[in-house]
Amino acid sequence: MAYVFCRVSSGRGCSLDYQEAEIKKVIDDCKWRIKETIKYVGSAYSETPKPLLELCKLKRKKIVFYCVDRFSRNYLTGFNLASKFLKNKNELYFIVEKLKVTKNSGDEWETFCKYLKYAENESQKIAKRVDDSRRYLRSQGYFTDSVAPFGYKKIKLSNGRTKLAIDTQSN
């Protein structure tokens, strides 16, 4: 019996379905049954997905992920969460890395931790690129936030960018 966890940062595209399909192929090859598939849309850097907090309370279960960075993108959080899973005698499987983690020591654990570090580093690089891009756009006079401040409205430009304009109807 296995539990499947799929995660994406934003709900666009078919990545959740792809993860689930790839995991299902491996589970079918292993002749396991899926007890539950959880699909989650949200960050794995700044917060721990609530469904993972619930899953880690289970005992002696197989928990299957597409890859380590779908589990966590924060080294310390992922380390602590995996330790909770393992304390309850769960087995963690990561399809892309072909990794099975059953204890928080040894080669498998070290490999898992290495991938967690890579995932965190990638998140930090992405965040820096986004911040740099937004900073540049603001320096060019574009508005980059999602909601205009009171008294202003967003104006969509022909190039797809937005600028602020005074909202005469809000006064």
Side-chain angles (χ1 to χ4, degrees):
M1 199 67 73
Y3 290 80
V4 172
F5 183 82
C6 305
R7 184 194 66 79
V8 293
S9 298
S10 61
R12 299 183 304 266
C14 62
S15 186
L16 280 173
D17 294 336
Y18 176 75
Q19 289 176 42
E20 182 181 16
E22 291 300 301
I23 291 169
K24 188 170 178 344
K25 285 180 198 174
V26 172
I27 286 178
D28 288 347
D29 287 346
C30 293
K31 305 211 181 323
W32 297 343
R33 286 188 35 237
I34 296 174
K35 171 78 173 169
E36 183 178 0
T37 297
I38 298 163
K39 294 182 178 183
Y40 181 81
V41 178
S43 174
Y45 182 79
S46 57
E47 58 193 50
T48 302
K50 288 191 185 350
L52 280 182
L53 294 173
E54 293 302 314
L55 279 176
C56 77
K57 295 176 186 175
L58 298 174
K59 295 186 186 317
R60 301 186 191 286
K61 303 297 181 195
K62 293 173 176 61
I63 318 294
V64 185
F65 303 87
Y66 177 67
C67 60
V68 172
D69 74 1
R70 302 296 87 202
F71 174 74
S72 180
R73 283 190 168 263
N74 181 300
Y75 179 78
L76 187 57
T77 300
F79 182 96
N80 291 333
L81 185 61
S83 295
K84 288 178 186 176
F85 272 103
L86 299 174
K87 182 180 178 191
N88 285 330
K89 307 287 190 226
N90 292 301
E91 299 174 350
L92 304 177
Y93 294 84
F94 302 93
I95 301 305
V96 169
E97 295 87 358
K98 296 179 174 65
L99 183 63
K100 173 184 173 182
V101 181
T102 58
K103 58 186 178 187
N104 59 356
S105 63
D107 290 344
E108 294 168 344
W109 179 254
E110 293 302 319
T111 300
F112 169 74
C113 289
K114 177 182 73 172
Y115 283 116
L116 267 180
K117 287 178 187 173
Y118 291 157
E120 181 176 81
N121 288 338
E122 183 63 21
S123 281
Q124 291 170 344
K125 287 192 294 190
I126 291 168
K128 180 160 179 18
R129 284 193 304 263
V130 169
D131 288 347
D132 290 348
S133 175
R134 292 180 75 190
R135 190 177 309 106
Y136 170 76
L137 289 172
R138 284 191 300 271
S139 77
Q140 300 301 304
Y142 296 116
F143 181 70
T144 62
D145 291 334
S146 57
V147 178
F150 181 76
Y152 292 88
K153 60 183 175 181
K154 292 178 10 177
I155 304 292
K156 186 95 166 175
L157 304 173
S158 60
N159 65 1
R161 306 279 182 220
T162 57
K163 285 198 171 198
L164 286 180
I166 294 175
D167 185 1
T168 57
Q169 295 183 3
S170 67
N171 294 332

